[in-house]
Amino acid sequence: MGNFVPLVFDVLAVLADIYKIYLKNGRLMAFIAVLIISFHTMLYLLNVFSFTPFIKKLIMKQTYQLGITPPGTPQFTNLLTGMENDVKIFVAVEWIFLLITAMASLFFAVSTTYASALIHCGKMISIKDLVSTTIRSLKKPLVTIFYITLFVFGYLFLCLITVLPLALILGGGQVTSSVSGIVLKILATVFYTYLSVVWDLALVVSVLEDKFGIEALGKAAQIVKGMKLQGFILNLLLTILSLILSKCLSINSKQSEAIRIFIAVLIVSSIGMVRMFGYIAFTVLYYRCKKTHGEEVELEAADMEYTKIPIAPLTNENVP
């Protein structure tokens, strides 16, 4: 109980700092928010009105034509060839779509992190400079995300060979519906949330310092010591909120299609705002971690001024 109260106050202090960032430069944060909301809205509407109807039409058309065409005929062979070509085109478009989505997400993460850092340090930047600086600063975070992705796939593979067989054994062949399967899934998600504290902080390090990849991950693991529980609580809250919103997105409603799409757009935009909040939260956590260890705060970006702010280590604080 003695360690719990300071832990709660630390989390509340991070939340207060996030609120101050919004207050100090609401125009800049609103610009980033509008970009994120616009992108997620466009992404969802594109999926609803373009990709989903295309897939349904392709499946229905090819299934019907294959069903009425005798096998072994030239027409049947042509249909199979046409289906193969359609699938190749669709896969290529999907890959382009995923690449654009990934790069846009990286841009939002870097721009939000850098803007939050500048505001936190009492500095100002124009929207034009923020956009240009973010574009020039994408290389280091991109390398870091590559390594983070490897760790994520490694964790998923570990769950696949350990948690899944255990869930099948305890659940009698049922994974999603059995109590043991649900409990193991929750535990795996919670542990992933704990591990991702270092990964999320490493992205901030790669934006604000001259470090990337494994070096950024090592730096994040070093400075988060003593503050990992605070980061875990923040991550857990963000994960729970995102899961609730995602679950709301899958609920079937009896409303008209227009109202369902409008509600879905609101939910998707809210998920984007939760992600933006997470970027700001870990930027604030980064500065608190540096302050806890008495390290200098380094603020770097491509072609921008390099700033070091010496900070005295915290004293008389009970850091769990």
Side-chain angles (χ1 to χ4, degrees), residues 189-261:
T189 302
V190 170
F191 188 59
Y192 172 85
T193 303
Y194 179 78
L195 292 176
S196 62
V197 172
V198 174
W199 302 339
D200 293 337
L201 201 59
L203 182 61
V204 179
V205 171
S206 64
V207 174
L208 302 181
E209 298 187 19
D210 190 21
K211 295 178 176 62
F212 55 91
I214 294 297
E215 189 178 6
L217 287 163
K219 181 66 176 182
Q222 175 189 342
I223 65 175
V224 81
K225 291 178 181 178
M227 294 288 290
K228 198 166 187 177
L229 282 178
Q230 290 86 333
F232 170 65
I233 292 176
L234 286 171
N235 234 358
L236 190 61
L237 293 174
L238 293 168
T239 300
I240 292 173
L241 189 55
S242 296
L243 289 175
I244 292 174
L245 291 171
S246 299
K247 189 65 178 178
C248 292
L249 194 61
S250 62
I251 295 176
N252 292 323
S253 174
K254 296 182 180 180
Q255 303 290 338
S256 65
E257 184 179 1
I259 295 178
R260 288 201 304 269
I261 292 176

Side-chain angles (χ1 to χ4, degrees), residues 177-196:
S177 59
S178 65
V179 175
S180 57
I182 294 173
V183 171
L184 288 173
K185 183 179 179 181
I186 292 174
L187 291 176
T189 302
V190 170
F191 188 59
Y192 172 85
T193 303
Y194 179 78
L195 292 176
S196 62

Side-chain angles (χ1 to χ4, degrees), residues 19-293:
Y19 178 68
K20 291 176 183 177
I21 287 175
Y22 280 103
L23 286 181
K24 288 180 180 178
N25 200 332
R27 180 171 174 266
L28 184 60
M29 303 312 293
F31 169 76
I32 298 174
V34 168
L35 280 182
I36 294 175
I37 291 174
S38 300
F39 177 77
H40 282 84
T41 300
M42 180 187 67
L43 207 63
Y44 177 77
L45 294 178
L46 188 63
N47 181 66
V48 170
F49 293 108
S50 180
F51 290 117
T52 302
F54 173 78
I55 296 172
K56 290 181 179 180
K57 184 179 178 180
L58 176 64
I59 293 175
M60 292 178 63
K61 178 182 176 182
Q62 298 293 350
T63 302
Y64 173 75
Q65 290 182 345
L66 286 174
I68 63 175
T69 304
T73 62
Q75 292 82 0
F76 189 84
T77 303
N78 291 334
L79 284 174
L80 289 178
T81 303
M83 181 182 291
E84 182 181 354
N85 292 333
D86 289 340
V87 170
K88 288 180 179 179
I89 294 173
F90 175 74
V91 170
V93 172
E94 279 291 299
W95 272 107
I96 296 173
F97 185 73
L98 289 174
L99 180 61
I100 293 174
T101 303
M103 292 306 299
S105 299
L106 178 62
F107 176 85
F108 295 141
V110 174
S111 60
T112 305
T113 299
Y114 190 65
S116 304
L118 286 172
I119 297 171
H120 185 80
C121 294
K123 296 182 176 294
M124 301 295 293
I125 187 173
S126 66
I127 293 175
K128 179 181 178 181
D129 288 339
L130 176 64
V131 172
S132 61
T133 301
T134 299
I135 293 174
R136 292 194 300 268
S137 305
L138 291 177
K139 181 180 177 180
K140 292 186 297 179
L142 183 61
V143 175
T144 303
I145 285 182
F146 171 76
Y147 283 97
I148 292 173
T149 304
L150 293 181
F151 281 109
V152 171
F153 279 130
Y155 180 75
L156 293 177
F157 178 74
L158 185 63
C159 289
L160 188 65
I161 63 176
T162 56
V163 177
L164 183 59
L166 186 60
L168 288 171
I169 294 172
L170 296 177
Q174 298 292 329
V175 178
T176 57
S177 59
S178 65
V179 175
S180 57
I182 294 173
V183 171
L184 288 173
K185 183 179 179 181
I186 292 174
L187 291 176
T189 302
V190 170
F191 188 59
Y192 172 85
T193 303
Y194 179 78
L195 292 176
S196 62
V197 172
V198 174
W199 302 339
D200 293 337
L201 201 59
L203 182 61
V204 179
V205 171
S206 64
V207 174
L208 302 181
E209 298 187 19
D210 190 21
K211 295 178 176 62
F212 55 91
I214 294 297
E215 189 178 6
L217 287 163
K219 181 66 176 182
Q222 175 189 342
I223 65 175
V224 81
K225 291 178 181 178
M227 294 288 290
K228 198 166 187 177
L229 282 178
Q230 290 86 333
F232 170 65
I233 292 176
L234 286 171
N235 234 358
L236 190 61
L237 293 174
L238 293 168
T239 300
I240 292 173
L241 189 55
S242 296
L243 289 175
I244 292 174
L245 291 171
S246 299
K247 189 65 178 178
C248 292
L249 194 61
S250 62
I251 295 176
N252 292 323
S253 174
K254 296 182 180 180
Q255 303 290 338
S256 65
E257 184 179 1
I259 295 178
R260 288 201 304 269
I261 292 176
F262 177 74
I263 294 174
V265 167
L266 288 179
I267 295 173
V268 168
S269 299
S270 299
I271 293 174
M273 290 298 92
V274 170
R275 291 177 180 174
M276 178 181 175
F277 187 88
Y279 300 145
I280 301 173
F282 273 87
T283 304
V284 172
L285 182 67
Y286 164 83
Y287 282 104
R288 291 189 65 82
C289 289
K290 298 277 282 188
K291 187 176 181 181
T292 300
H293 291 278

Side-chain angles (χ1 to χ4, degrees), residues 117 120-121 208-209 286-288 290-291 294-300 306-311:
H120 185 80
C121 294
L208 302 181
E209 298 187 19
Y286 164 83
Y287 282 104
R288 291 189 65 82
K290 298 277 282 188
K291 187 176 181 181
E295 294 187 18
E296 292 180 324
V297 176
E298 301 173 0
L299 185 58
E300 283 193 24
Y306 178 82
T307 306
K308 281 191 174 183
I309 306 173
I311 297 178

